[in-house]
Amino acid sequence: MSQAQRSSAAATVPNDLESFWLPFTANRAFKKSPRLIVRAKDMYYYTADGRAVIDAAAGMWCTNAGHNRDPIVAAIQRQAAELDYAPGFQFSHPKAFELASRIAALAPADLDHVFFVNSGSEAVDTALKIALAYHNVRGEAARTRLIGRERGYHGVGFGGTSVGGIVANRRHFGAMLAGVDHLPHTYNREQQAFTKGEPEWGAHLADELERIAALHDPSTIAAVIVEPMAGSTGVLPAPKGYLPRLRAICDKYGILLVFDEVITGFGRLGYAFAAERYGVVPDMITFAKGVTSGSVPMGGVLVRKPIYDAFMRGPQHMVELFHGYTYSAHPLACAAGLATLDLYRDEKLFERAKALEGKWADAAMGLKGLPGVLDIRPIGLVVGIDLASRPDAVGQRGFEIMDRAFHQENMTLRAVGDTLALTPPLIVTEAQIGEMFDKVGKLIRAVA
Ligand SMILES: Cc1ncc(COP(=O)(O)O)c(C=O)c1O
């Protein structure tokens, strides 16, 4: 780090930590021992005191191309100087169309249309609203029920919280949306522990949709939303055959299937979208995070052509869908998105993730047998590692590892309770994979 970088980093260290209420954070613990990052490049963060910290979490599952990549930085800078903002309702700007076409080209089948938003949460709520409105404009207004899944994470809007299935994210927020039901989650440690990739056991759990459909009558169900790999709950890959089975049941009853690919989109599982990995075409795909490699907030919903077409009728001067955000398709996000997609293509980063998957899984499985390791679930460039909880202190071991990783081992990772999640930028090298798992092994022993 140069002297100039060091002094500018020092100037960014705050002297008052009180005002900022950090999201999804143990605020009091953080403020006693802050984990502050002042700069980043490629695979590394840098702290104010000049430590290089390897990023084993791709930010938060988002910086798939690595941090502060020059072409993305330059694109954002150019765009900021050229067009800061263009209204998104009744006006637009060329890069919004260009990015939508590029994303649609990456998506399977006739997922041809893109509705832009600013986050994964907005993408989910948008997809749920499009599902309801789609049935409505086709004269099936009785289809109002939305089906999520236990342990699912779909962001923090009321729609996403309602279909989500992580108890801690729901319990303080009242009754939420009416008419929501949940599929069972797909995890069973006895049947699935230490599986690389998709577990053999669990496809039959999709049949629970039959039961739910029978209970409510299928004609009242608008959509089913699932993550192809449940990420935030601690990495639960879909069992083999589960997603095709869900697709078949949705088809049978005219229910829309939404894949929430906010994490799995843009290379995380070795494909542009996980839909391609599983050979299943959903009716909508939600995305965010990797679309700009985390550099500017952006999300969106990919929509199949017949859904879009269903709205394109009535008087031509009329708004077809009464929904959108001030910053939908923001010029800076579009510029960042285009530069990011170029990088993914030019550096073949999705293919790289696929090629590294086996080595990644082997390295992760090297932790098997360490004290308290109950399960290891690698898939794509992701792994979830379950640790035994301390009696009466659930989550403490995970928290300690996350905190020590940053302060002592110069690494960031995610901890969900006592499950560790690693999910590095797709530019990670084999040597860096080795380094990450060595550090995790050391940390697991340290908190045993
Ligand atoms: C599958 C999924 N959906 C939605 C979201 C919410 O995204 P955001 O935090 O950008 O609102 C996330 C975030 O992790 C996610 O993993």
Side-chain angles (χ1 to χ4, degrees):
M1 197 191 241
S2 70
Q3 190 51 46
Q5 278 169 333
R6 194 163 294 140
S7 58
S8 93
T12 60
V13 177
N15 59 13
D16 172 18
L17 299 176
E18 255 330 282
S19 302
F20 179 32
W21 185 348
L22 289 89
F24 272 119
T25 296
N27 272 255
R28 289 157 302 160
F30 181 95
K31 288 172 188 184
K32 274 193 200 133
S33 175
R35 293 172 292 277
L36 286 175
I37 293 158
V38 297
R39 197 166 68 81
K41 186 71 189 152
D42 300 333
M43 284 297 299
Y44 291 90
Y45 293 120
Y46 295 88
T47 62
D49 56 357
R51 288 187 298 125
V53 174
I54 194 162
D55 180 9
M60 294 200 324
W61 320 80
C62 55
T63 58
N64 292 4
H67 290 274
N68 283 71
R69 297 298 308 274
D70 292 344
I72 303 176
V73 173
I76 297 168
Q77 286 170 335
R78 273 197 309 274
Q79 189 60 43
E82 190 179 293
L83 176 68
D84 55 351
Y85 179 79
F89 305 171
Q90 305 287 13
F91 299 84
S92 193
H93 62 98
K95 289 198 176 75
F97 296 89
E98 197 183 336
L99 183 60
S101 317
R102 292 277 301 274
I103 294 170
L106 288 176
D110 57 351
L111 284 149
D112 289 344
H113 297 277
V114 179
F115 196 102
F116 282 117
V117 303
N118 309 290
S119 67
S121 300
E122 290 179 0
V124 167
D125 280 20
T126 297
L128 299 177
K129 286 178 74 178
I130 290 176
L132 295 172
Y134 165 72
H135 291 303
N136 205 304
V137 298
R138 287 166 53 255
E140 286 199 66
R143 286 193 185 268
T144 56
R145 291 187 191 278
L146 301 166
I147 312 299
R149 192 168 58 189
E150 294 166 357
R151 299 193 62 175
Y153 184 67
H154 302 291
V156 294
F158 271 101
T161 307
S162 302
V163 292
I166 297 181
V167 179
N169 294 348
R170 297 165 52 85
R171 65 171 175 235
H172 290 150
F173 304 112
M176 294 176 278
L177 285 189
V180 171
D181 210 336
H182 291 79
L183 289 159
H185 67 75
T186 62
Y187 184 58
N188 180 316
R189 186 171 292 149
E190 265 177 33
Q191 299 287 346
Q192 300 170 340
F194 300 102
T195 302
K196 288 181 186 167
E198 294 78 6
E200 297 290 338
W201 184 94
H204 64 281
L205 294 168
D207 295 342
E208 283 292 305
L209 184 55
E210 288 279 7
R211 186 188 58 76
I212 291 172
L215 173 68
H216 299 296
D217 194 284
S219 68
T220 68
I221 301 178
V224 171
I225 181 166
V226 292
E227 303 158 86
M229 172 208 74
S232 297
T233 189
V235 185
L236 306 179
K240 279 185 190 147
Y242 175 91
L243 294 169
R245 214 137 145 181
L246 216 49
R247 175 73 273 181
I249 301 169
C250 286
D251 285 346
K252 182 167 151 192
Y253 296 124
I255 299 168
L256 296 180
L257 178 61
V258 184
F259 278 0
D260 185 348
E261 296 228 30
V262 165
I263 281 178
T264 53
F266 303 101
R268 186 51 54 195
L269 300 191
Y271 296 84
F273 293 100
E276 193 183 337
R277 177 171 173 128
Y278 296 109
V280 174
V281 182
D283 298 293
M284 288 186 259
I285 290 178
T286 55
F287 65 85
K289 297 189 187 268
V291 65
T292 61
S293 194
S295 61
V296 181
M298 174 172 248
V301 185
L302 271 155
V303 177
R304 286 180 86 165
K305 185 173 173 349
I307 297 179
Y308 176 81
D309 289 347
F311 288 93
M312 298 302 131
R313 55 192 192 184
Q316 296 256 340
H317 69 281
M318 282 294 293
V319 168
E320 294 106 356
L321 180 67
F322 286 83
H323 180 76
Y325 302 90
T326 299
Y327 300 120
S328 285
H330 191 282
L332 291 194
C334 291
L338 286 167
T340 301
L341 296 192
D342 286 347
L343 262 184
Y344 290 150
R345 179 197 59 208
D346 297 345
E347 298 185 353
K348 298 192 169 36
L349 291 183
F350 305 163
E351 296 83 343
R352 182 185 170 78
K354 195 172 169 193
L356 281 172
E357 177 165 353
K359 299 219 160 81
W360 170 261
D362 290 344
M365 286 300 182
L367 303 174
K368 191 174 173 184
L370 289 189
V373 173
L374 302 178
D375 190 11
I376 301 174
R377 295 179 293 276
I379 181 168
L381 278 188
V382 187
V383 66
I385 304 164
D386 289 349
L387 300 178
S389 301
R390 290 198 177 119
D392 303 324
V394 173
Q396 198 186 57
R397 207 167 245 150
F399 177 85
E400 260 181 53
I401 287 190
M402 181 272 298
D403 192 53
R404 283 180 189 231
F406 182 78
H407 289 300
Q408 296 170 11
E409 294 299 329
N410 295 326
M411 178 170 72
T412 56
L413 49 73
R414 304 266 314 140
V416 192
D418 290 306
T419 298
L420 310 178
L422 275 73
T423 170
L426 312 181
I427 57 170
V428 68
T429 63
E430 284 182 45
Q432 287 163 337
I433 290 173
E435 179 188 339
M436 286 172 187
F437 287 109
D438 284 349
K439 288 183 173 186
V440 175
K442 198 165 156 194
L443 288 159
I444 290 174
R445 281 190 209 94
V447 303

